[in-house]
């Protein structure tokens, strides 16, 4: 019954350890050693060895004399198999590249992009040693959060690439509400925040050829289960766990995000702009209808944010009702009293 497994589209024999695990998962109560021996045709010693190996991998398995074994909890890893339990996509994450540790998922995804990896390839890790943020900053990436990049090969012109970041921010806000029932907002263009603190960051990088995109890499960091933040960022950053008080199932969060992202991204590709998504995006926009400080080189101006347009530009209005459109990357937008 538990003989084969499909990973990366390739069918392979399950190891005895995987078979035992599947058997324990299929039962909510204790499974006796005798039953495992009979069902899998293995010896008691082999079961004991494999149960110990599972325990060493972080599975909590209770062993009780005369009752057998019961799986109490699984380790919190976001490897391929766990993500696939929640995945419902047609083409995103058909290929998953996972390693416990990486320098940066964006760096690895770009290498895969150069090597011809397919559209939708997902690169994911538990921690990054050289995580990259926007504007050349680093993205500190301890264990417990989500760090991943999606390799995309959109057939669109270069000037449209920055909109992928806004599509991702919208998909993140929607996913966090759906899976954790947490209300978040978007600080234009792409920071996802809760209670005024940043939860997610997005860095989109692309390789272009004259007017067209060879590939784009959208890299996302979600502060998921991090509880302590360094002094210098603790007033500006938070995690879903801190905001909800609950430990987050990262595989579920990530799988759901990929499902939502695929739908939104396809809507974006339909028109090659944000016209289908802008109404929903504007509902999440934290500064909508509020005064913001627009910081451009040495100059600071106070204007009212109205919403984004179909190109992802922020529409702002001065006191005389005069409107203008701000392009992301050219200016910084701050609330009047700090980050938001
Ligand atoms: C920001 O500065 O707000 C963007 C941060 C983006 C961080 C993510 S984590 C996964 C991916 N890999 C990276 O090196 N950076 C992005």
């Amino acid at each position: 019954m538990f003989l084969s497994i499909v990973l990366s589209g390739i069918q392979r024999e399950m190891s005895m350890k995987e078979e035992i695990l599947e058997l324990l998962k299929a039962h909510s109560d204790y499974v006796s050693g005798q039953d495992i021996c009979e069902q899998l045709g293995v010896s008691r010693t082999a079961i004991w060895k494999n149960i110990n190996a599972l325990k060493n991998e972080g599975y909590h398995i209770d062993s009780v004399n005369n009752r057998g074994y019961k799986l109490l909890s699984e380790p919190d890893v976001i490897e391929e198999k766990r993500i696939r339990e929640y995945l419902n996509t047609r083409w995103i994450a058909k290929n998953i590249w996972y390693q416990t540790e990486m320098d940066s998922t964006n760096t690895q995804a770009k290498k895969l992009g150069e090597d011809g990896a397919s559209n939708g390839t997902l690169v994911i890790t538990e921690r990054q040693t050289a995580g990259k943020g926007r504007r050349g900053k680093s993205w500190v990436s301890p264990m417990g959060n989500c760090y991943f990049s999606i390799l995309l090969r959109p057939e669109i012109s270069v000037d449209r690439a920055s909109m992928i970041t806004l599509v991702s921010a919208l998909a993140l806000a929607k996913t966090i509400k759906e899976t954790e029932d947490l209300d978040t907002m978007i600080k234009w263009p792409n920071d996802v925040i809760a209670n005024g603190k940043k939860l997610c960051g997005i860095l989109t990088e692309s390789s272009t050829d004259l007017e067209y995109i060879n590939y784009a890499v959208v890299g996302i960091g979600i502060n998921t289960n991090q509880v302590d933040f360094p002094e210098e960022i603790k007033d500006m950053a938070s995690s879903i766990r801190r905001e909800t008080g609950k430990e987050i199932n990262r595989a579920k969060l990530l799988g759901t995000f990929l499902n939502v992202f695929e739908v939104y991204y396809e809507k974006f590709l339909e028109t090659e702009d944000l016209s289908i998504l802008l109404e929903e995006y504007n509902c999440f926009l934290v500064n909508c209808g509020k005064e913001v400080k627009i910081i451009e080189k040495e100059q600071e101006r106070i204007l009212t944010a109205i919403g984004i347009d179909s190109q992802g530009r922020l529409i702002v209005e001065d006191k005389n009702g005069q409107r203008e459109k701000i392009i992301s990357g050219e200016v910084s937008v701050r609330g009047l009293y700090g980050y938001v």
Side-chain angles (χ1 to χ4, degrees), residues 161-338:
S162 63
M163 291 183 223
I164 300 173
T165 315
L166 281 79
V167 174
S168 310
L170 177 57
L172 281 168
K174 178 94 176 167
T175 302
I176 295 170
K177 176 70 185 166
E178 206 172 297
T179 59
E180 314 306 335
D181 196 24
L182 175 65
D183 286 309
T184 60
M185 303 220 84
I186 301 171
K187 180 181 170 292
W188 182 83
N190 58 324
D191 285 353
V192 178
I193 59 168
N195 298 317
K197 294 182 177 179
K198 181 160 163 171
L199 294 185
C200 314
I202 307 167
L203 174 67
T204 303
E205 300 181 88
S206 44
S207 152
T208 56
D209 185 5
L210 296 173
E211 283 161 46
Y212 284 89
I213 297 174
N214 294 325
Y215 62 83
V217 164
V218 55
I220 298 178
I222 311 176
N223 295 338
T224 318
N225 284 319
Q226 188 170 352
V227 183
D228 297 316
F229 286 84
E231 196 58 36
E232 52 292 4
I233 57 165
K234 82 173 190 330
D235 294 334
M236 276 170 60
S238 187
S239 67
I240 304 179
R241 179 168 177 183
R242 275 186 77 122
E243 297 306 315
T244 59
K246 286 184 292 187
E247 174 136 21
I248 307 304
N249 176 339
R250 292 179 302 149
K252 180 177 174 195
L253 179 76
L254 179 60
T256 311
F257 169 77
L258 296 167
N259 298 338
V260 174
F261 177 78
E262 186 179 89
V263 173
Y264 284 164
Y265 179 70
E266 285 182 351
K267 286 185 181 170
F268 158 68
L269 289 183
E270 251 177 64
T271 54
E272 297 188 13
D273 66 18
L274 300 169
S275 49
I276 305 177
L277 301 171
L278 80 96
E279 201 177 311
E280 199 173 353
Y281 182 98
N282 281 334
C283 292
F284 282 105
L285 191 61
V286 67
N287 297 120
C288 217
K290 294 193 188 128
E291 289 194 312
V292 287
K293 202 188 285 178
I294 306 290
I295 309 161
E296 204 172 356
K297 297 188 184 114
E298 304 291 275
Q299 197 195 24
E300 281 189 12
R301 291 180 298 152
I302 310 277
L303 299 162
T304 302
I306 304 296
I308 61 157
D309 71 357
S310 62
Q311 307 299 304
R313 295 171 295 200
L314 184 69
I315 307 166
V316 286
E317 192 177 86
D318 70 11
K319 291 214 159 51
N320 305 317
Q322 191 75 31
R323 290 190 173 185
E324 65 180 281
K325 291 173 173 180
I326 310 275
I327 298 171
S328 78
E330 293 185 356
V331 294
S332 275
V333 178
R334 292 267 179 276
L336 294 196
Y337 308 104

Side-chain angles (χ1 to χ4, degrees), residues 103-107 128 130-135 137-139 141 146-149 190-191 198 200-203 205 218-222:
D103 48 1
S104 148
T105 55
N106 267 33
T107 305
Q128 299 182 119
K132 296 189 290 182
R134 290 193 302 147
R135 299 175 203 271
K137 291 188 184 153
S138 60
W139 185 260
S141 312
C146 293
Y147 311 104
F148 60 97
S149 302
N190 58 324
D191 285 353
K198 181 160 163 171
C200 314
I202 307 167
L203 174 67
E205 300 181 88
V218 55
I220 298 178
I222 311 176

